[in-house]
C-alpha cells in the first residue's frame, strides 16, 4: 500500500469505480467522509426532482398516481434495493422510516412465533433499534421480554423462549460486521426468526439476505443509497413469511384493495401488506435515483475499494499521529464496514477542526470520530488529504480553539 499522494492519485486513475464520482455533487475543497450518515447528492436527483415537481405534480396533478406511476414507486424502488441486498424484487419495499419499519417487523415477528416472548438484541446498538423494542414491550406488556446481551453471549441467549433475534449487521459506531449467515442459522436452530438492520450495510458491503436465510430486514435510504435527508427506508420479508406477516400499522395502502374503500382491513397478498399510508413520492423519486446509481456499480469493486480506503486511512493516521488515537473499528477489513472510527477524549473538537477545513466526518459520543468511505465518490487522494489535515490539526493544536468546543444540536 503506497503512502505518498502521487501513489494515491495513481490508485484513483486505476479505480474501476472512478467514473461514479462525477455522478455526485461534491464542492471543491470538500472531502466528504460522512456518506455513512447522509449520502452525497447525485447530480441526476436535482433534475429528477425538478421534473417530478413541475411536470408530474404541477401538470399531471392527481392523475400522476397513474400517469407517472407513483402508485407503484414503493415496489419499484424496493426492487432496485433488492438487487443490492441479495433479495428477490418482490421481497423488498420502500416505505416509512427505518424506525417505523423496525416496529412493524418486530411486532409482526412476535406474532409468527406464538408462545415465545423473548427478543434478543445487543446493548450499544443504534438507539432507535433499542428504543423501538422497548416501545413494543411497553405496548405488549407480559407478552414480550427483552434480552439485551453482549455480542459474545448472543448465541447462548437464544433458547426455546426466543421469538426474534434483532441485530444491526454493521455497527454504527465501530463498523464491526456481524456474521449474518451464522447468527441467522443459530436463531433458526433455536426456533427463532432473525431481523437484520442493514442501515450501514446496503450499498456498502456485500449483503446476501437469501443466501444467509434471513427472515426480515430493514435499512436506511439516506446513507449509502444516497436518497437524501430523511429519505424513505426499506423493509424486506422473505417470501416464505409474507402470507403470515401482519403489519401492526394496518393502513389502507397495505390493504388488498385500497381503492375499493371497504370498511374492513384485509392485507395485500405480498410485501405490499407492509405499507401503511400514502407513499412520499418526492422522497421516493430521489431515492430511486440514488439506488439506480448504486445498482450500476459492481458490488465486488465497491467492497474491494471500501476495504482499501479504510485500510489506507488506518495506516496513514497511525503512522502520522502515533499513539494519539485508539482504533475503535476492526483492523481486519473483512470484519469492518465502510467506515473507520477512532477514539480520542477531545474527539468532538478535533472533528470540528477537521470540518472547518472541509474534511467532513462526524462525532459519536463519548469520544468517537467517525469517517465513512462511500466508494462511489471518495478517492484515495481524499483519504490521503484527510489524514494529512488530521496530522496538521494535532501537530498545531488548532483543535483547542474555543470555536471548536461548542456543541450544536446535531452532532
Ligand atoms: C443502525 C441504524 N438504524 C436506524 C437508523 C435511523 O433510523 P431512522 O431513519 O428511523 O431515523 C440509523 C441511523 O443512523 C442507524 O444507524
Amino acid at each position: 500500500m503506497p503512502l505518498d499522494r502521487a501513489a494515491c492519485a495513481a490508485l484513483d486513475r486505476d479505480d474501476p469505480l472512478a467514473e461514479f464520482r462525477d455522478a455526485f455533487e461534491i464542492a471543491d475543497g470538500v472531502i466528504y467522509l460522512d456518506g455513512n450518515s447522509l449520502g452525497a447528492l447525485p447530480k441526476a436527483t436535482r433534475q429528477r426532482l425538478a421534473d417530478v415537481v413541475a411536470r408530474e405534480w404541477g401538470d399531471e396533478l392527481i392523475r400522476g398516481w397513474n400517469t407517472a406511476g407513483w402508485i407503484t414507486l414503493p415496489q419499484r424502488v424496493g426492487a432496485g434495493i433488492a438487487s443490492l441486498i441479495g433479495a428477490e424484487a418482490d421481497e423488498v419495499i420502500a416505505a416509512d422510516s427505518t424506525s417505523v419499519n423496525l416496529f412493524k417487523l418486530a411486532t409482526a415477528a412476535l406474532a409468527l412465533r406464538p408462545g415465545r416472548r423473548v427478543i434478543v438484541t445487543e446493548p450499544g446498538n443504534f438507539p432507535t433499534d433499542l428504543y423501538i423494542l422497548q416501545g413494543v414491550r411497553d405496548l405488549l406488556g407480559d407478552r414480550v421480554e427483552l434480552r439485551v446481551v453482549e455480542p459474545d453471549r448472543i448465541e447462548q441467549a437464544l433458547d426455546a423462549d426466543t421469538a426474534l433475534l434483532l441485530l444491526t449487521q454493521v455497527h454504527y459506531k465501530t463498523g464491526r460486521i456481524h456474521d449474518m449467515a451464522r447468527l441467522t442459522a443459530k436463531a433458526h436452530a433455536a426456533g427463532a426468526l432473525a431481523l437484520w438492520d442493514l442501515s450501514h450495510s446496503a450499498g456498502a458491503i456485500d449483503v446476501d439476505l437469501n443466501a444467509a436465510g434471513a427472515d426480515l430486514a430493514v435499512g436506511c435510504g439516506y446513507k449509502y443509497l444516497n436518497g437524501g435527508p430523511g429519505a424513505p427506508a426499506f423493509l424486506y420479508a422473505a417470501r416464505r413469511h409474507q402470507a403470515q406477516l401482519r403489519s401492526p400499522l394496518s393502513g389502507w395502502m397495505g390493504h388488498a384493495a385500497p381503492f375499493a374503500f371497504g370498511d374492513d382491513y384485509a392485507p395485500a397478498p405480498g410485501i405490499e401488506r407492509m405499507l401503511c399510508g400514502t407513499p412520499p413520492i418526492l422522497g421516493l423519486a430521489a431515492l430511486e435515483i440514488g439506488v439506480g446509481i448504486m445498482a450500476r456499480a459492481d458490488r465486488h469493486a465497491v467492497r474491494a475499494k471500501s476495504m482499501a480506503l479504510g485500510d489506507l486511512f488506518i495506516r496513514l493516521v497511525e503512522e502520522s499521529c502515533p499513539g494519539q488515537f485508539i482504533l475503535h473499528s476492526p483492523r481486519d477489513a473483512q470484519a469492518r464496514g465502510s467506515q473507520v472510527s477512532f477514539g480520542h477524549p477531545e474527539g468532538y473538537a478535533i472533528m470540528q477542526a477537521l470540518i472547518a477545513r472541509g474534511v467532513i466526518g462526524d462525532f459519536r459520543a463519548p469520544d468517537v470520530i467517525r469517517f465513512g468511505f462511500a466508494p462511489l465518490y471518495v478517492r484515495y487522494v481524499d483519504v490521503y488529504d484527510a489524514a494529512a489535515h488530521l496530522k496538521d490539526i494535532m501537530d498545531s493544536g488548532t483543535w483547542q480553539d474555543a470555536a471548536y468546543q461548542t456543541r450544536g444540536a446535531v452532532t
Side-chain angles (χ1 to χ4, degrees), residues 74-75 90-97 100-110 112 195 215-218 233-238 241-256 265-279:
Q75 290 91 325
D90 61 357
E91 293 178 310
V92 180
I93 199 148
D96 302 315
S97 63
V100 171
N101 289 335
L102 278 166
F103 176 80
K104 292 188 293 189
L105 289 182
T107 309
L110 284 166
L112 292 183
L195 164 53
D215 301 289
L216 305 163
V218 297
F234 64 89
L235 68 80
Y236 154 93
H241 294 307
Q242 289 180 6
Q244 290 79 39
L245 206 62
R246 293 292 291 248
S247 175
L249 300 180
S250 45
W252 75 303
M253 279 291 151
H255 193 280
Y265 181 74
I271 191 79
E272 292 79 10
R273 64 176 50 199
M274 299 312 291
L275 291 175
C276 181
T278 305

Side-chain angles (χ1 to χ4, degrees), residues 97-99 126 128-129 168 172 197 199-200 220 222-223:
S97 63
T98 304
S99 303
F126 187 76
T128 214
D129 298 63
T168 297
Y172 80 103
D197 185 336
S199 291
H200 294 271
C220 288
Y222 49 77
K223 298 178 186 292

Side-chain angles (χ1 to χ4, degrees), residues 123-304:
N125 199 346
F126 187 76
T128 214
D129 298 63
L130 291 162
Y131 299 166
I132 289 289
L133 292 184
Q134 290 159 18
V136 171
R137 180 200 54 202
D138 292 350
L139 190 69
L140 298 179
D142 287 348
R143 281 184 286 156
V144 181
E145 178 192 326
L146 297 189
R147 197 173 279 165
V148 184
V149 298
E150 294 296 337
D152 60 346
R153 298 195 43 81
I154 290 169
E155 291 175 32
Q156 296 98 292
L158 299 164
D159 62 17
D161 290 330
T162 309
L164 181 66
L165 171 65
L166 165 63
L167 292 173
T168 297
Q169 188 189 18
V170 177
H171 195 273
Y172 80 103
K173 224 186 247 185
T174 65
R176 177 221 57 211
I177 301 179
H178 271 308
D179 184 338
M180 180 189 283
R182 191 172 57 80
L183 287 166
T184 298
K186 295 285 178 192
H188 289 173
L193 298 171
L195 164 53
W196 291 93
D197 185 336
L198 304 180
S199 291
H200 294 271
S201 312
I205 68 169
D206 281 336
V207 184
D208 204 335
L209 286 168
N210 283 338
D215 301 289
L216 305 163
V218 297
C220 288
Y222 49 77
K223 298 178 186 292
Y224 297 99
L225 301 183
N226 304 307
F234 64 89
L235 68 80
Y236 154 93
R239 221 181 252 160
R240 65 185 178 280
H241 294 307
Q242 289 180 6
Q244 290 79 39
L245 206 62
R246 293 292 291 248
S247 175
L249 300 180
S250 45
W252 75 303
M253 279 291 151
H255 193 280
F259 295 98
F261 298 104
D263 282 350
D264 295 317
Y265 181 74
I271 191 79
E272 292 79 10
R273 64 176 50 199
M274 299 312 291
L275 291 175
C276 181
T278 305
I281 298 306
L282 299 180
L284 284 167
L287 178 59
E288 189 174 32
I289 297 292
V291 170
I293 295 171
M294 187 54 77
R296 287 201 294 280
D298 178 75
R299 279 169 62 177
H300 303 293
V302 168
R303 180 64 176 138

